[in-house]
Amino acid sequence: MSTAEKTAGAEDVPWGEVTPEAARRLLVAAVEAFAERGYHATTTRDIAGRAGMSPAALYIHYKTKEELLHRISRIGHDRALEILEGAADAEGTAAERLAAAVRSFVRWHAGHHMTARVVQYELDALGDEHRDEIVELRRKSDAAVRRILNEGVAAGEFDVPDVPGTTVAVLSLCIDVARWFNVHGRRTPDEVGALYADLVLRMVGAGAQKK
């Protein structure tokens, strides 16, 4: 495993940054409800019920349902940025770093597919201020992948005539895993990550250098 892979693949304890325990339970319940029913169809009563708490208890920790969504989205996007910037900043060739970024990014979207669906597909439900904050994090994630691609082109590793467009394609390919991944399917998150890393390297003309 390359240095880039180790950097990009480090996993935190799920929701370990959310305290106290009651706040974490509510957040986990919100993720499940939003993923299953969608943000707008979910009520605060639904969330509290899943957490085994009263609706009034929810407001002790979160002022609104939108605040819960923002917390989920912020944590998820921070994690995405950590993965992608970690790979971009690591040692190794551009091909190695791109493969590490894709493997880890896809592995996260598969292994946390329920959370990722909420993080990636409920952006428009956020208020303007919170949405602007998350959009800025997305821009930084885009910049990390674009930097790897630009460096690969400059080094002669990649054949990419349109770096911005290819960046969008790479990120979209990885993110879409959250939409279809099934824990009972025939591939594990690691296997999907390896498959997508190979696909992306072929996309940028570096398939022969994937290892």
Side-chain angles (χ1 to χ4, degrees):
M1 183 180 293
S2 68
T3 301
E5 178 75 3
K6 292 176 182 176
T7 301
E11 288 291 339
D12 297 328
V13 176
W15 311 116
E17 60 270 78
V18 181
T19 57
E21 175 62 25
R24 185 182 302 114
R25 283 167 52 199
L26 287 164
L27 188 141
V28 170
V31 167
E32 294 173 353
F34 293 158
E36 291 175 13
R37 306 186 61 184
Y39 174 82
H40 293 293
T42 299
T43 67
T44 53
R45 184 175 294 276
D46 293 332
I47 296 167
R50 285 173 182 261
M53 301 166 70
S54 70
L58 184 148
Y59 296 107
I60 296 174
H61 303 284
Y62 302 98
K63 295 178 182 178
T64 64
K65 185 176 70 165
E66 193 268 352
E67 183 179 321
L68 252 174
L69 177 62
H70 172 247
R71 188 75 192 278
I72 294 164
S73 189
R74 180 61 197 246
I75 291 172
H77 280 88
D78 280 343
R79 179 63 186 138
L81 184 59
E82 178 187 352
I83 289 170
L84 297 173
E85 287 191 334
D89 293 338
E91 298 177 356
T93 66
E96 289 170 342
R97 289 181 287 127
L98 181 60
V102 171
R103 275 193 293 266
S104 296
F105 200 46
V106 166
R107 189 165 58 228
W108 188 86
H109 279 81
H112 302 81
H113 58 281
M114 188 176 292
T115 298
R117 282 203 299 272
V118 176
V119 168
Q120 299 294 355
Y121 298 116
E122 294 287 1
L123 178 64
D124 289 341
L126 292 171
D128 290 343
E129 182 178 353
H130 286 160
R131 188 179 188 281
D132 288 347
E133 175 187 313
I134 299 304
V135 167
E136 180 59 27
L137 291 174
R138 289 191 176 211
R139 289 196 187 102
K140 291 179 179 179
S141 291
D142 180 282
V145 174
R146 193 165 61 249
R147 173 154 58 96
I148 299 173
L149 292 177
N150 277 323
E151 290 172 358
V153 170
E157 294 183 54
F158 302 156
D159 180 12
V160 181
D162 182 351
V163 169
T166 302
T167 299
V168 172
V170 170
L171 289 171
S172 297
L173 188 69
C174 296
I175 288 168
D176 194 56
V177 170
R179 183 183 57 79
W180 62 260
F181 186 79
N182 185 336
V183 293
H184 302 299
R186 64 190 183 90
R187 285 193 171 98
T188 66
D190 282 342
E191 290 170 341
V192 177
L195 171 64
Y196 274 50
D198 180 77
L199 291 173
V200 168
L201 288 177
R202 293 175 186 275
M203 180 191 301
V204 300
Q209 302 179 53
K210 64 181 178 293
K211 293 182 181 179

